[in-house]
Amino acid sequence: MKTAFEKKPVEEVDADYLVVPCIKGRLPEWVAEILKECGAQKDFSGAPGESLMLPLPKKKYSRLLLIGMGEEKKLKSEGFRSAGGKAFSRVSKGGCCRCALWINEQMEQDYEGAVGAFVEGFVLRSLKLDVYKTKKEETDEEENGNGEVGELVVVGDEDVSRRVREATVLAESQNYVRRLDLEPSNVMTPSRMADEALLLGKKYDMDCRVYSRGELEKKGMGGIIAVGKGSSKEPVFVRMEYNGGKKLPHIALVGKAITFDSGGISLKPGKGMAAMKYDKSGALVLMGVMRALAELKVPVRATLFFGAAENMPDGNSTNPGDIIKAYNGKTIEVLNTDAEGRLCLADAVSYAASKEPELIVDVATLTGAANIVLGRHGICMMSTDDSASELFERCGEETYERVWPLPLWDEYTKMIKSDIADVKNLGSENGEAGTITAGMFIKEFTGGLPWVHLDIASVDLVESPNAYLPKGPSARGVRLITSFVRSWVQKK
Ligand code: BES
Ligand code: MN
Ligand code: ZN
């Protein structure tokens, strides 16, 4: 979607719709006047959840949409993100080529932040995920319009064009990931994951290389091979590099990319198994981050690594009890073939570490237990670098992709010691501290470098929709990690 900023007073807005988020008890004078003219003072106070559409045939904009934001002291940027989503739903119903947004610059809240969040919500809500419907279904978004909006224009006095562009890039990068994540495992195979990475690399002039199964064997990437062995679709390893200039701080991003996780020989129960097509979200989220870094020309060197594989049971698959060797030479006893993500990450993280980046960040739908820890409301984080984890917490609040830290006590490392190999891929048979022991397993492969681990298993799927994210893949993490990388290079 096109987004833009136009410096002009609100009276001069020329659009199909003008959207105005309003704080309770602080309606702008001109809004109060219009309400009075229409005799609608009682219909709108600015309370949260309230909205009012007024047809105004005499104005240059034919409809005014007021959105209640609640009280000023309770106002957060997330409220504006929700308002953006809500606004999109409302105006796309009526057929809208050009939608204008005006936010009162005089409020106490950070004005630019409010504009950015609104634009994010609006663009996120605009993504349609009905690509596999052969007949267009009438949705509640298509009363008179086609469920689309041509353009969103922010109008006001303060020039926020940069912020509008940034918010658009972030939301579009998130949408790019949501779109790819939706693809099922018969389409998004490991080799197709590699093709998408190559395509992205080409578009943004990023160096991208794909390593075949044969090359993985030569490199000694026993984890990715062990996971992919049971599938007829061959595993691959991908490296992609974005370099924003010379001699910049180097961050390694490592993603989990299981195109389908059946559990392997330790087969999962049938219920809910279809959702395991989303087990590639970690790597996709990082592809979205790479896209955003390139679009925004962030001065950083970022390298993305992922091993893509399909985890299937077969006469040739890895069996519980098998012992394998990861890229860094450590031996792993595979006690449960369903703990496959950490096997792939073992190779990819130790490979990333061999390039000696200043920080490694891995992102994975690693454990169902992440959902037990935080519910669907946050990302489980583990880190060996306090300044990085503090920055993640801050960026989490700002983007509302919140993270919460878990401990890295020695006792958890003891839980993954194997009797016969260096480590085992299962902390305890009954799942005790499942999210933490999975993180501690990854830590074994970081070579002692500063490291942040994000287990996104709890947030990668939207089950109860909010105003800007409907049911389906969320691609949460794109805005969080992009915002982290931008602040991280500033501090370097
Ligand atoms: N991909 C799953 C984790 C997952 C579960 C993500 C549910 C999203 C929703 C992962 O590979 C897995 O199967 N983990 C096991 C680990 C266990 C065998 C130690 C789990 O969480 O049950
Ligand atoms: Mn699994
Ligand atoms: Zn998995």
Side-chain angles (χ1 to χ4, degrees):
M1 190 198 310
K2 230 187 120 203
T3 58
F5 166 76
E6 283 176 17
K7 187 178 166 75
K8 62 164 76 155
V10 68
E11 309 85 65
E12 285 169 33
V13 166
D14 186 359
D16 300 315
Y17 282 84
L18 171 62
V19 181
V20 181
C22 297
I23 295 164
K24 189 166 184 235
R26 281 204 51 193
L27 299 192
E29 245 168 64
W30 65 270
V31 170
E33 227 161 82
I34 288 179
L35 283 173
K36 206 167 151 196
E37 274 170 36
C38 302
Q41 293 115 304
K42 290 214 176 84
D43 298 339
F44 185 81
S45 69
E50 217 180 32
S51 65
L52 183 66
M53 182 90 85
L54 290 170
L56 297 172
K58 278 186 249 147
K59 299 260 183 210
K60 276 192 182 166
Y61 46 90
S62 45
R63 293 183 187 99
L64 175 65
L65 173 61
L66 304 176
I67 297 186
M69 300 299 297
E71 284 164 37
E72 178 141 36
K73 56 179 189 301
K74 288 188 192 154
L75 212 53
K76 282 193 191 154
S77 68
E78 178 67 359
F80 285 94
R81 213 167 275 115
S82 300
K86 203 178 206 178
F88 180 88
S89 304
R90 292 294 296 269
V91 307
S92 63
K93 262 187 200 176
C96 179
C97 291
R98 197 172 137 91
C99 177
L101 166 71
W102 183 85
I103 296 179
N104 192 349
E105 287 161 50
Q106 258 67 61
M107 65 179 174
E108 278 165 38
Q109 242 243 311
D110 154 37
Y111 169 69
E112 268 203 63
V115 169
F118 185 99
V119 172
E120 284 174 13
F122 197 89
V123 175
L124 285 170
R125 191 65 187 80
S126 73
L127 182 72
K128 296 259 171 320
L129 290 173
D130 58 359
V131 285
Y132 283 107
K133 294 271 187 201
T134 54
K135 268 202 212 118
K136 248 186 144 287
E137 274 174 22
E138 241 201 45
T139 65
D140 53 358
E141 233 139 73
E142 296 172 9
E143 279 171 10
N144 301 304
N146 55 3
E148 282 166 28
V149 175
E151 186 183 9
L152 173 67
V153 197
V154 181
V155 292
D157 191 41
E158 189 181 328
D159 186 349
V160 287
S161 45
R162 255 189 53 193
R163 192 57 170 251
V164 171
R165 158 121 214 289
E166 285 170 11
T168 309
V169 165
L170 288 168
E172 279 177 348
S173 299
Q174 188 170 346
N175 284 349
Y176 156 80
V177 176
R178 289 165 68 202
R179 174 70 193 82
L180 289 182
D181 209 5
L182 187 79
E183 292 294 346
S185 71
N186 59 330
V187 175
M188 198 56 67
T189 58
S191 73
R192 173 72 186 271
M193 285 284 291
D195 288 345
E196 291 295 340
L198 287 168
L199 206 66
L200 186 70
K202 203 164 171 207
K203 183 161 177 210
Y204 292 100
D205 201 22
M206 293 188 275
D207 191 30
C208 182
R209 235 207 99 176
V210 176
Y211 301 87
S212 68
R213 191 202 143 97
E215 288 169 293
L216 296 194
E217 252 159 36
K218 270 190 227 134
K219 281 188 186 298
M221 295 185 159
I224 301 165
I225 289 171
V227 174
K229 259 171 79 182
S231 171
S232 58
K233 299 152 190 155
E234 293 215 331
V236 295
F237 184 73
V238 175
R239 183 189 65 82
M240 188 192 302
E241 179 166 334
Y242 161 75
N243 202 339
K246 284 208 175 94
K247 292 205 175 155
L248 291 168
H250 180 201
I251 186 167
L253 306 170
V254 185
K256 172 172 171 179
I258 300 300
T259 57
F260 188 74
D261 180 14
S262 71
I265 296 295
S266 315
L267 193 65
K268 285 184 183 293
K271 191 171 170 245
M273 205 203 270
M276 283 300 123
K277 71 169 184 175
Y278 297 117
D279 215 15
K280 57 191 183 301
S281 306
L284 285 179
V285 159
L286 291 175
M287 279 165 63
V289 171
M290 296 294 276
R291 182 191 183 278
L293 295 176
E295 281 273 357
L296 300 173
K297 299 196 166 61
V298 177
V300 68
R301 179 175 162 218
T303 323
L304 164 66
F305 302 93
F306 66 84
E310 185 179 53
N311 188 22
M312 297 297 276
D314 177 76
N316 190 41
S317 50
T318 299
N319 289 332
D322 285 2
I323 294 175
I324 61 169
K325 191 182 263 191
Y327 177 76
N328 68 348
K330 281 201 183 178
T331 54
I332 305 168
E333 185 184 12
V334 181
L335 287 180
N336 189 319
T337 63
D338 196 12
E340 83 299 337
R342 64 197 79 179
L343 303 179
C344 292
L345 287 171
D347 284 336
V349 166
S350 52
Y351 188 76
S354 74
K355 307 293 176 199
E356 297 177 348
E358 278 150 271
L359 180 67
I360 301 174
V361 176
D362 81 79
V363 183
T365 48
L366 204 60
T367 63
N371 204 17
I372 309 292
V373 181
L374 295 180
R376 304 227 157 252
H377 308 296
I379 296 169
C380 291
M381 174 175 67
M382 291 172 72
S383 171
T384 56
D385 185 313
D386 288 346
S387 69
S389 54
E390 276 160 29
L391 197 52
F392 260 113
E393 285 184 60
R394 225 177 323 127
C395 296
E397 288 297 329
E398 183 190 300
T399 56
Y400 216 65
E401 296 184 334
R402 293 165 298 179
V403 301
W404 201 257
L406 295 178
L408 293 83
W409 298 324
D410 289 342
E411 285 79 357
Y412 298 118
T413 301
K414 286 200 195 107
M415 290 173 76
I416 53 161
K417 287 277 174 266
S418 159
D419 292 337
I420 59 169
D422 296 331
V423 284
K424 54 180 176 162
N425 78 335
L426 190 63
S428 93
E429 285 292 344
N430 59 16
E432 277 177 25
T435 300
I436 301 177
T437 52
M440 290 311 260
F441 181 94
I442 311 293
K443 180 170 168 278
E444 293 295 306
F445 300 88
T446 57
L449 293 179
W451 160 74
V452 179
H453 165 66
L454 301 174
D455 190 335
I456 58 167
S458 48
V459 300
D460 85 303
L461 249 194
V462 179
E463 284 188 345
S464 26
N466 65 22
Y468 58 91
L469 286 177
K471 259 189 179 191
S474 73
R476 284 194 187 107
V478 173
R479 288 182 296 107
L480 166 73
I481 299 159
T482 307
S483 125
F484 170 83
V485 174
R486 295 180 78 191
S487 324
W488 181 75
V489 285
Q490 267 174 13
K491 285 178 72 179
K492 281 271 149 188

